[in-house]
């Protein structure tokens, strides 16, 4: 699979992620087959792609001919069989282990022996899905971020039995599509969804405790923290149902480690249908006449909020590094390119100073008496040895 090889690509699932991946692959010159067994899903996806390509042409980002060519390369099919000619099949169906395993059992009988099989799961075990395959060596995770055509990062996740040759081929393909790839171990949440959990969970706890309202916490993390979006804005954008599902999945996968405990407040919001932008109301009201609440623009309060959330993010990054989830460089890349953090968490820790980060965590653990705030042994070791995090250069 070379960069100029326009081999056929199959996409299983015509939801938001599947549609975005299909558009991305077709834009890179590949003929794409898309299948979804849900009634109306293929027609909706076709209409969505046509709308997006028309809009891009009107904005001058594509010519009319380019837009038409991309659209012509995407075929929506009414069964799995046409995906059999694909040399890369990417699954993007519902986050259900049993359904994914069943899908790959069928797919594996259709595709050639050297075809790559990939799942776009964001939180399930890649190895667990691969267990349904007779040839798990050519199976891996390719975790695209939403919207797939725009977000630059792709997490490449080998299963325990994935062959290095297939992993390299997959990384080469996504890079040829203009994406930045990072390599992650097959552990719950991979890099981004693991390390980013405290951004949401600690903000929810601050809201539950009445430290500040959602607007103030968001303002604090933008104004003082430097983040592009606050946690509640981001949860509303992602969808509270999706965010909660990932949190619950990671919590369960880590055998209920308190560091990843989901929020009861968010669960109640989901039960009430307050999903965010897509439902018209979440932490904020998105109705046509709704006014955005004003934050309490208290700088000292904002610093207190930042100093609750940021150390937990750094601590989770340290744990991911300690356990070999990824390399220092890929960790920094994942958090800056996958979540648009203003800087890498290891660099941020070095700027603050590991002793200060450790002190803040120890204060929180002493105050709450919870394992949720336990400092990473790597962070303790750095402080003891008077060292900082070593971040690889990009050159």
């Amino acid at each position: 699979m070379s960069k100029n090889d326009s081999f056929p690509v199959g996409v299983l699932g015509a939801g938001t992620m599947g549609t975005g991946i299909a558009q991305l692959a077709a834009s890179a010159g590949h003929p794409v087959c898309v299948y979804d067994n849900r009634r109306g899903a293929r027609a909706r996806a076709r209409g969505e792609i046509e709308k997006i390509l028309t809009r891009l042409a009107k904005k001058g980002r594509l010519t009319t001919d380019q837009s038409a060519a991309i659209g012509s390369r995407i075929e929506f099919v009414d069964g799995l069989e046409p995906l059999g000619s694909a040399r890369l099949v990417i699954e993007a169906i519902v986050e259900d282990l049993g359904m994914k395993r069943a899908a790959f059992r069928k797919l594996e009988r259709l595709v050639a022996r050297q075809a790559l099989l990939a799942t776009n799961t964001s939180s399930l075990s890649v190895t667990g899905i691969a267990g349904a395959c007779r040839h798990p060596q050519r199976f891996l995770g390719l975790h695209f971020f939403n919207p797939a055509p725009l977000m630059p990062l792709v997490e490449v996740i080998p299963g325990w039995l994935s062959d290095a040759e297939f992993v390299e081929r997959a990384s080469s393909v996504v890079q040829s599509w203009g994406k930045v790839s990072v390599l992650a171990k097959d552990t719950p949440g991979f890099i981004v969804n693991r390390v980013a959990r405290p951004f949401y969970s600690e903000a929810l706890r601050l809201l539950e405790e009445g430290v500040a309202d959602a607007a103030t916490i968001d303002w604090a993390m933008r104004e003082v923290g430097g983040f592009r979006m606050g946690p509640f804005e981001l949860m509303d954008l992602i969808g509270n149902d999706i965010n909660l599902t990932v949190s619950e999945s990671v919590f369960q996968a880590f055998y209920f480690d308190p560091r990843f405990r989901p929020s009861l407040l968010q669960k109640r919001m989901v039960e009430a249908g307050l999903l965010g932008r897509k439902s018209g109301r979440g932490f904020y009201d998105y109705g046509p006449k709704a006014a955005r609440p004003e934050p309490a623009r208290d700088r000292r309060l904002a610093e207190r909020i930042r100093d609750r959330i940021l150390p937990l993010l750094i601590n989770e990054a340290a744990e991911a590094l300690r356990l070999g989830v990824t390399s220092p460089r890929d960790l920094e890349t994942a958090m800056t390119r996958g979540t648009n953090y203003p800087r890498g968490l290891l660099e941020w820790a070095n700027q603050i100073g590991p002793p200060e980060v450790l002190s803040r965590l120890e204060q929180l653990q002493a105050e709450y008496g919870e394992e949720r705030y336990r400092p990473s042994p790597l962070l303790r070791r750095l402080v003891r040895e008077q060292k900082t995090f070593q971040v690889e250069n990009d050159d």
Side-chain angles (χ1 to χ4, degrees):
M1 295 182 181
S2 67
K3 290 187 177 182
N4 297 318
D5 185 358
S6 56
F7 56 85
V9 172
V11 176
L12 178 59
T16 300
M17 288 306 305
T19 301
I21 293 167
Q23 180 192 331
L24 175 65
S27 298
H30 300 272
V32 183
C33 271
V34 184
Y35 173 65
D36 195 306
N37 64 1
R38 295 173 301 161
R39 181 176 297 177
R42 298 193 297 276
R44 285 193 298 271
R46 183 185 292 111
E48 184 62 26
I49 287 178
E50 289 173 355
K51 187 193 311 180
I52 290 170
L53 293 175
T54 299
R55 186 164 64 241
L56 291 173
K58 285 182 178 179
K59 291 182 176 181
R61 296 179 184 174
L62 295 173
T63 67
T64 302
D65 288 346
Q66 287 172 330
S67 174
I70 293 169
S72 70
R73 286 193 284 269
I74 304 174
E75 180 184 6
F76 290 87
V77 296
D78 58 6
L80 279 177
E81 287 73 18
L83 274 65
S85 62
R87 288 167 59 191
L88 166 63
V89 179
I90 302 174
E91 167 271 315
I93 63 174
V94 65
E95 287 285 85
D96 180 277
L97 181 62
M99 292 179 66
K100 290 181 187 289
R101 285 171 61 94
F104 280 108
R105 271 194 291 269
K106 295 176 183 176
L107 278 169
E108 195 178 32
R109 292 195 291 267
L110 299 173
V111 300
R113 181 70 178 267
Q114 290 300 306
L116 273 167
L117 296 177
T119 175
N120 184 57
T121 183
S122 60
S123 58
L124 296 176
S125 165
V126 171
T127 303
I129 301 170
C133 298
R134 291 172 296 170
H135 305 291
Q137 68 273 10
R138 45 89 170 269
F139 185 91
L140 72 160
L142 289 178
H143 181 213
F144 293 81
F145 290 78
N146 189 31
L150 299 180
M151 293 298 287
L153 189 76
V154 177
E155 292 178 320
V156 179
I157 309 105
W160 275 43
L161 298 177
S162 299
D163 190 284
E165 175 195 347
F166 288 97
V167 176
E168 289 171 9
R169 283 169 55 188
S171 297
S172 177
V173 169
V174 298
Q175 289 168 15
S176 75
W177 294 357
K179 298 301 180 184
V180 177
S181 68
V182 292
L183 195 64
K185 186 183 286 187
D186 184 18
T187 57
F190 313 132
I191 306 172
V192 172
N193 277 331
R194 173 188 183 141
V195 175
R197 300 284 23 106
F199 190 68
Y200 312 113
S201 62
E202 197 63 17
L204 285 159
R205 173 165 280 203
L206 286 163
L207 182 62
E208 288 172 333
E209 292 177 359
V211 172
D213 60 16
T216 299
I217 295 169
D218 279 346
W219 174 82
M221 296 307 290
R222 291 195 314 269
E223 183 71 17
V224 176
F227 291 84
R228 187 173 298 182
M229 295 182 72
F232 297 103
E233 296 170 306
L234 189 51
M235 283 185 276
D236 272 2
L237 179 63
I238 294 168
N240 277 300
D241 53 339
I242 295 171
N243 188 267
L244 177 63
T245 297
V246 173
S247 293
E248 289 178 337
S249 176
V250 171
F251 182 51
Q252 292 166 13
F254 274 113
Y255 296 105
F256 308 103
D257 187 323
R259 295 204 325 276
F260 301 103
R261 182 177 291 118
S263 165
L264 182 59
L265 184 153
Q266 189 176 42
K267 181 176 177 61
R268 290 291 179 264
M269 290 190 67
V270 171
E271 291 170 342
L274 303 177
L275 307 183
R277 288 180 178 272
K278 62 185 176 184
S279 69
R281 186 179 167 196
F283 292 103
Y284 298 100
D285 189 340
Y286 298 94
K289 297 182 179 180
R292 190 66 177 261
E294 280 294 316
R297 300 175 188 274
D298 182 328
R299 185 85 182 182
R300 292 180 64 183
L301 176 60
E303 290 173 351
R304 186 154 66 99
I305 292 166
R306 177 202 61 193
D307 292 348
R308 276 277 296 269
I309 296 174
L310 183 55
L312 291 176
L313 289 171
I314 292 171
N315 195 50
E316 200 51 53
E319 274 296 88
L321 194 60
R322 182 179 75 90
L323 297 172
V325 173
T326 190
S327 68
R329 180 172 62 181
D330 279 3
L331 176 57
E332 298 289 78
T333 299
M335 303 315 294
T336 54
R337 304 301 297 275
T339 58
N340 291 314
Y341 282 10
R343 59 178 64 85
L345 291 169
L346 304 181
E347 175 197 344
W348 215 335
N350 289 344
Q351 185 182 61
I352 297 169
E356 178 61 24
V357 177
L358 178 61
S359 175
R360 292 174 188 174
L361 289 167
E362 289 176 333
Q363 289 172 14
L364 286 167
Q365 191 175 33
E367 180 177 350
Y368 287 91
E370 294 183 36
E371 285 293 288
R372 172 191 186 91
Y373 300 108
R374 70 179 186 270
S376 167
L378 175 57
L379 184 60
R380 289 190 184 280
R381 185 164 69 246
L382 289 178
V383 172
R384 186 170 61 250
E385 297 175 357
Q386 298 183 355
K387 293 180 178 178
T388 57
F389 289 101
Q390 297 300 304
V391 182
E392 299 171 14
N393 294 325
D394 288 332
D395 53 10

